[in-house]
Amino acid sequence: RDVIAQRRRAEEARLESEIRFQGLFENLPDFVIVVDREAKIRFTNGRSEAPDPEKLAGTLGFNYIVPQDRSSCQEAFERAFDTGEVQSVQCETVYDRWLDCRIVPLAEEGTKPAAMIICTDVSDRKFSQEALQRERHSLRRMLDLHERERQVLAYEIHDGFAQQLTGALFQLQGF
């Protein structure tokens, strides 16, 4: 009886721990993906921009990254598996979102190699940086135009008004 009671308590504790972990995992602000060595998605926590995050399972993760960012993501992915070290990469998704991704190799005994990819949405920051760059460029253009206008005005004064004034002074001295 004592053994059965201990088993029940251990099972209840395990179940409680699983529920707590699942609640924590599901409520993370980051998008978390678990993929295998071929980059097939095994599991997500549902924080995806994809229309139906549940349909992501079994699909290739690289399909959701814009073509120009795929090679850098694949390189980081390969490095994570080859070195066993966490790798970081930034990429744009096909859903027009920017993600900072950390690829964490999972070392599980007796299972296929896998990695957990923790993705933080940095789209707002990226779009703000791009807007700031555009504003800086516009300001630079306005300052350049202002300087050019100032130079033109200086030339006009020097070559126009100042020359006429000097000519009038010479004529006055001549009289």
Side-chain angles (χ1 to χ4, degrees):
R1 289 181 195 227
D2 204 24
V3 174
I4 295 173
Q6 284 178 340
R7 281 188 182 169
R8 278 191 188 141
R9 281 193 297 270
E11 182 62 26
E12 288 171 0
R14 185 190 61 77
L15 191 58
E16 183 179 317
S17 176
E18 275 183 27
I19 290 170
R20 199 171 331 128
F21 176 75
Q22 184 176 4
L24 194 109
F25 190 71
E26 291 296 324
N27 290 305
L28 282 172
D30 292 336
F31 176 47
V32 179
I33 312 164
V34 176
V35 295
D36 64 16
R37 184 71 167 95
E38 287 77 40
K40 281 190 180 173
I41 298 172
R42 287 187 189 171
F43 175 80
T44 71
N45 67 341
R47 296 255 181 241
S48 169
E49 293 294 323
D52 189 0
E54 316 237 319
K55 290 187 178 176
L56 294 176
T59 63
L60 192 63
F62 295 121
N63 291 342
Y64 302 99
I65 299 169
V66 294
Q68 60 268 27
D69 289 346
R70 282 187 192 149
S71 63
S72 62
C73 290
Q74 288 170 332
E75 289 170 12
F77 187 75
E78 291 299 321
R79 260 194 324 274
F81 276 103
D82 292 345
T83 65
E85 296 174 0
V86 175
Q87 300 294 315
S88 296
V89 66
Q90 189 175 85
C91 62
E92 184 180 7
T93 69
V94 295
Y95 302 107
D96 197 30
R97 304 305 295 170
W98 282 91
L99 301 175
D100 268 341
C101 301
R102 289 168 313 284
I103 305 164
V104 182
L106 300 175
E108 298 176 17
E109 292 292 321
T111 62
K112 286 184 174 180
M116 176 172 55
I117 304 172
I118 305 165
C119 305
T120 304
D121 190 335
V122 293
S123 301
D124 293 338
R125 182 175 61 193
K126 188 79 168 172
F127 297 145
S128 295
Q129 286 173 342
E130 289 172 356
L132 183 61
Q133 279 299 106
R134 285 192 302 273
E135 290 294 321
R136 283 183 180 158
H137 180 71
S138 294
L139 182 59
R140 172 60 44 209
R141 278 188 40 231
M142 285 174 47
L143 289 172
D144 290 345
L145 286 172
H146 177 70
E147 179 62 22
R148 186 166 182 263
E149 187 176 317
R150 190 190 66 76
Q151 287 176 347
V152 167
L153 186 61
Y155 290 140
E156 284 179 6
I157 289 172
H158 181 268
D159 293 344
F161 180 69
Q163 297 240 345
Q164 290 173 356
L165 194 58
T166 303
L169 184 62
F170 284 149
Q171 283 181 353
L172 189 60
Q173 286 175 347
F175 285 130

